[in-house]
Amino acid sequence: MGDNAALTVLVADIGGSNSRFAIATATQEATQRWPQLSGVASYPNEGAASLESQVERYLTDTAAPAPVCASFAVAGPVAGGRARLTNRPWTIDAAALAETFALRRVTLLNDFAALAHGLAFLPVGGRIVLQAGAKNARGPLAVLGPGTGLGAALVLAPGQQQVVVPTEAGHADFAPVEARDWALRETLAAEAAPVTAERVLRGDGIAQLYRALGGGEQATAEICARSGNDGRAAEAIAWYLQLLGRFAGSLALTLGATGGVYLAGGVLPRLAERLPGSDFLAGFNDRGPLAAYARAIPVHLVVDAGAALGGAALAASRDTADPWL
């Protein structure tokens, strides 16, 4: 492939609830810049039989050039070119997808690994600073956030030589601190074990905390909408952000993410105005003798809606199996 030739990549962010697609175009010189995305479209997964049917739908709907390669960010662990969504009974096979859609190569990676690939290259305006941290902070980066589940990934040596490490940190045990946290854990443990961080902090976590506070059955979106007039709703959101901050701070110390922590996922952009001034940073920095260590870590909220798609494109461009790189 010549230096000026372009690689047309079908990119997708496959979550438990929705599949989001786009076409990315990259050249050899552009592998370290944020890719241009076109034809962005999202489809609900409810009622779809498989990822293949969603891909077929997108390729039928879009007028974009036929892709040469594809890169799929999926909400679940990936091994040996295969994945199974954590919150939807879909098995995804990279080789089978390549054969079905006549693609030269299919890159398959965890959705938060895709986000991690893009962190060092996010465009201006793609993130909001929540904690400035130390000047010229250096070191690994961590990305985490709630959606249908709770994802997390690590970036070592951010930049051109970076290495992305997917994790399943969301399935670590929930770590209660205050009395109400312990009461919540006991309630959840009586329903099913184990009680993981994901069970508390995933997308429906706010609704779960609202019930624990005696607020009854309400969807998270409704709780957020009524929080200005409903004290329990406001308290549930505050509690949720504090717990998320504690999890993020614990993860940052565990991974040594001194270069920065990035929050992403489908839930937090809807809470962007609530994060500053909330108990999130109090929970993040509540590290006892390591409080100064935590305060030195920059914390950002990713607000670029195409962050996972862009990261998936960057991952495809860095795949050394392709001779053009």
Side-chain angles (χ1 to χ4, degrees):
M1 187 169 180
D3 286 348
N4 296 321
L7 182 70
T8 303
V9 184
L10 168 65
V11 293
D13 179 14
I14 312 300
S17 301
N18 299 285
S19 292
R20 196 159 185 258
F21 296 93
I23 297 294
T25 303
T27 64
Q28 187 168 359
E29 293 83 1
T31 58
Q32 300 300 334
R33 296 199 298 271
W34 195 248
Q36 292 295 315
L37 303 174
S38 61
V40 178
S42 182
Y43 303 101
N45 290 335
E46 190 65 34
S50 64
L51 173 58
E52 285 81 357
S53 66
Q54 297 286 63
V55 173
E56 183 67 40
R57 181 180 179 184
Y58 175 74
L59 293 177
T60 299
D61 288 350
T62 185
V68 175
C69 300
S71 184
F72 295 98
V74 301
V78 177
R82 290 174 59 86
R84 183 174 176 83
L85 294 187
T86 302
N87 293 295
R88 182 162 293 275
W90 287 0
T91 298
I92 301 168
D93 187 295
L97 285 165
E99 181 176 358
T100 299
F101 297 102
L103 298 164
R104 182 194 307 175
R105 186 190 72 249
V106 171
T107 299
L108 192 61
L109 70 165
N110 172 266
D111 56 346
F112 271 79
L115 283 165
H117 273 283
L119 293 182
F121 310 102
L122 276 172
V124 174
R127 61 189 178 186
I128 295 172
V129 176
L130 299 177
Q131 176 166 281
K135 186 177 181 181
N136 299 320
R138 296 288 184 271
L141 309 177
V143 58
L144 66 118
T148 305
L150 177 64
L154 174 69
V155 185
L156 302 174
Q160 293 189 6
Q161 303 302 315
Q162 69 186 14
V163 175
V164 169
V165 182
T167 83
E168 290 299 330
H171 295 280
D173 290 337
F174 169 57
V177 176
E178 299 178 0
R180 64 179 180 178
D181 305 344
W182 283 103
L184 175 66
R185 188 193 181 285
E186 290 179 4
T187 298
L188 295 178
E191 297 172 357
V195 180
T196 64
E198 178 171 287
R199 283 185 64 189
V200 176
L201 297 172
R202 63 195 181 194
D204 63 356
I206 291 174
Q208 189 168 241
L209 297 180
Y210 185 71
R211 288 194 301 272
L213 292 171
E217 295 289 338
Q218 292 288 345
T220 292
E222 175 63 23
I223 294 167
C224 292
R226 64 192 296 175
S227 61
N229 301 311
D230 183 336
R232 283 197 182 96
E235 186 178 357
I237 294 170
W239 186 12
Y240 177 85
L241 292 175
Q242 180 192 53
L243 292 175
L244 183 65
R246 290 190 183 281
F247 174 77
S250 295
L251 186 69
L253 265 63
T254 301
L255 299 179
T258 53
V261 169
Y262 291 74
L263 306 175
V267 174
L268 292 180
R270 290 180 286 175
L271 300 175
E273 295 182 357
R274 301 172 188 269
L275 271 163
S278 72
D279 284 339
F280 174 87
L281 286 178
F284 185 94
N285 293 323
D286 185 16
R287 304 292 122 192
L290 287 180
Y293 180 105
R295 287 194 296 270
I297 298 173
V299 182
H300 306 272
L301 173 65
V302 177
V303 293
D304 190 310
L309 294 173
L314 287 167
S317 72
R318 294 173 61 86
D319 192 331
T320 55
D322 195 282
W324 77 280
L325 186 61

